[in-house]
Amino acid sequence: MTLSEGKTGASYIVEDVTVDQRISRRLEALGLNDGTQIQLLNQKRNKGAFIIMVRGTRLALGRKIADGITVREAS
């Protein structure tokens, strides 16, 4: 499933990031790599923003980027 399909408050493991290469490199620099655990903190449905917690840092992602991040539920 993609990050945009996730539920607020749930934890996920990143499986794949398929976005523009420039954005992908920036996300990797921020710690969003394959195998990284993230938590979906909030979804702004109207504007499409997603707030996530990655390694102790809060990040805001647009819907287009969230659609390109494949995740699975963390156990």
Side-chain angles (χ1 to χ4, degrees), residues 17-33:
V17 179
T18 53
V19 293
D20 180 62
Q21 185 178 9
R22 184 179 55 114
I23 295 170
S24 180
R25 281 191 301 235
R26 180 66 177 145
L27 291 174
E28 286 177 6
L30 293 169
L32 192 68
N33 304 318

Side-chain angles (χ1 to χ4, degrees), residues 2-5 18-19 50 62-70:
T2 63
L3 181 60
S4 60
E5 299 169 336
T18 53
V19 293
F50 293 82
R63 179 165 297 278
K64 188 173 181 181
I65 295 173
D67 285 340
I69 299 174
T70 305

